Amino acid sequence: RAEALACLIEHEIHSLPVLDEDELIGIVTSTDFLRELSQGELPGHEQRVSRYMTKTEDWVEAGATLDEARIEFVASSLRYLPVMQGECPLGVISQRMLRTAKCRQLLAETLDVDHEREDIHVKELVKSAPNVKPGDRLASAASLMVEYSVQAVAVVNQGHRLMGVISEDDILQGALA
């Protein structure tokens, strides 16, 4: 189990085939490991979010276009960015979500499917999920990610101010520690 988890993290992938000799018998995913961690079945589940979160002052405004968000990703060098409406975190987007949305936008433009469509805004990509606090346990953050089907959540302080992001990759690192 630890070897499979280490492989996912090392190669920045989210699923692995499970073989019995040369026969495919299933797939194990990062969500499977998050679920186990959320249930206290992996080491590290009691670790604090603050130990593994990515601190950031970078974010993207909810009304930003996909191109504006891409510029922010490049400037920040982050894989996940909080989406803010004023001072309130709405959720977190990933580079992967942004690329997928941009491809869909370009395809629609190329095929002239939706010629009336305005630019897509970042708020349309956000899947709402509750925020976590730095003192929360990794198991709690993992449980939220599984429940809300998100890859990352915003970390906020008691005053609901953004402190950073914790992703499934960060949490899985904690399971290996």
Side-chain angles (χ1 to χ4, degrees):
R1 182 161 76 171
E3 187 179 322
L5 179 55
C7 184
L8 288 175
I9 292 168
E10 179 184 342
H11 296 286
E12 298 181 356
I13 56 176
H14 295 276
S15 60
L16 285 172
V18 178
L19 303 173
D20 183 8
E21 296 187 23
D22 288 338
E23 185 178 341
L24 178 67
I25 59 171
I27 294 177
V28 64
T29 68
S30 54
T31 303
D32 296 328
F33 286 109
L34 284 178
R35 192 173 292 109
E36 284 187 43
L37 189 116
S38 72
Q39 296 167 354
E41 297 174 12
L42 286 177
H45 68 278
E46 291 191 10
Q47 294 288 331
R48 302 284 181 203
V49 164
S50 59
R51 184 170 179 190
Y52 295 95
M53 71 181 211
T54 301
K55 294 179 183 178
T56 184
E57 294 180 8
D58 297 313
W59 48 270
V60 63
E61 182 63 42
T65 64
L66 299 182
D67 290 333
E68 291 167 337
R70 183 180 54 78
I71 290 167
E72 191 61 42
F73 267 115
V74 170
S76 71
S77 301
L78 297 172
R79 292 177 58 199
Y80 300 93
L81 272 177
V83 176
M84 305 286 284
Q85 186 148 15
E87 294 184 12
C88 180
L90 298 180
V92 177
I93 61 169
S94 67
Q95 288 183 7
R96 183 173 29 165
M97 291 168 72
L98 187 64
R99 281 191 305 268
T100 300
K102 188 63 178 175
C103 285
R104 286 186 179 137
Q105 182 183 36
L106 291 172
L107 181 62
E109 289 171 5
T110 302
L111 299 176
D112 200 27
V113 170
D114 196 3
H115 60 280
E116 298 291 321
R117 176 82 169 136
E118 294 181 17
D119 284 337
I120 297 172
H121 293 94
V122 172
K123 65 184 168 203
E124 298 174 52
L125 305 181
V126 174
K127 283 183 157 182
S128 281
N131 301 315
V132 296
K133 304 275 189 286
D136 289 349
R137 300 190 187 285
L138 289 183
S140 297
S143 179
L144 287 174
M145 288 181 196
V146 170
E147 180 179 348
Y148 287 87
S149 298
V150 294
Q151 296 174 326
V153 293
V155 180
V156 298
N157 64 16
Q158 296 294 4
H160 205 65
R161 296 273 194 228
L162 178 69
M163 296 184 69
V165 171
I166 189 154
S167 69
E168 62 184 25
D169 300 330
D170 298 328
I171 290 174
L172 295 176
Q173 284 283 352
L176 279 180

